[in-house]
Amino acid sequence: MMRARGSNAAGSAYRGAHGAGRVLVVVYAVLALASMGRSSYQLLSKLDEAPLAYSLSAAAALVYLLATIALVRHGRAWNLVAWCTIVFELVGVLVVGSLTEFHPELFPSDTVWSAFGVGYAYIPLVLPILGIAWLETGRSRRKRERAAVH
């Protein structure tokens, strides 16, 4: 018996993003790699200078990586992971961005989310909003498809 291309035993097949979704996934992947590289260097070479900032950057990198994976996987569980990581990302950039503006003494060094992502051209602020919009579009499409079947 042949299996559908890209499927696995758990039924979570790679769905491959199209159009705007593909661009979104690529931007998430690039941001994950960039923030992972930066935070790895910071954690390995100068952790004692700003442990909170560098740890937050590492956490952001993991969130971006998990969001990237979740956006290209299929199934309810991966959709939930995508929603959770992207909402967490938005809350993180808003909280850390606000703290770096109103209490800069907490962050002697920048994080990915400092000043709402200014060091990354505000992509960390805009990306989760676009991600939520894309996920919502997919949810609306699935509702219409289910309604059409009945």
Side-chain angles (χ1 to χ4, degrees):
M1 183 160 111
M2 288 185 62
R3 214 180 220 188
R5 192 173 126 213
S7 66
N8 62 29
S12 296
Y14 172 77
R15 64 179 169 219
H18 301 284
R22 182 172 289 170
V23 172
L24 186 71
V25 168
V26 168
V27 174
Y28 263 104
V30 169
L31 193 56
L33 292 173
S35 57
M36 200 171 301
R38 178 182 178 180
S39 65
S40 296
Y41 167 74
Q42 291 169 329
L43 288 172
L44 293 172
S45 67
K46 48 188 182 174
L47 177 62
D48 55 326
E49 292 176 20
L52 176 61
Y54 300 152
S55 297
L56 280 172
S57 286
L62 293 175
V63 168
Y64 292 134
L65 180 62
L66 187 54
T68 302
I69 293 166
L71 287 170
V72 297
R73 301 295 293 175
H74 182 65
R76 280 191 172 142
W78 283 111
N79 192 49
L80 180 61
V81 170
W83 273 101
C84 290
T85 55
I86 292 172
V87 168
F88 179 86
E89 171 195 354
L90 180 59
V91 170
V93 76
L94 292 173
V95 169
V96 173
S98 296
L99 286 173
T100 56
E101 292 296 315
F102 298 113
H103 296 287
E105 70 278 3
L106 295 174
F107 299 92
S109 187
D110 287 342
T111 73
V112 173
W113 294 337
S114 291
F116 306 101
V118 70
Y120 289 83
Y122 295 103
I123 292 170
L125 178 62
V126 174
L127 195 59
I129 295 167
L130 296 175
I132 289 169
W134 190 69
L135 288 170
E136 187 59 34
T137 300
R139 186 164 65 175
S140 297
R141 180 182 37 79
R142 286 188 299 279
K143 283 182 181 178
R144 285 191 308 273
E145 289 171 355
R146 281 194 301 268
V149 171
H150 292 96

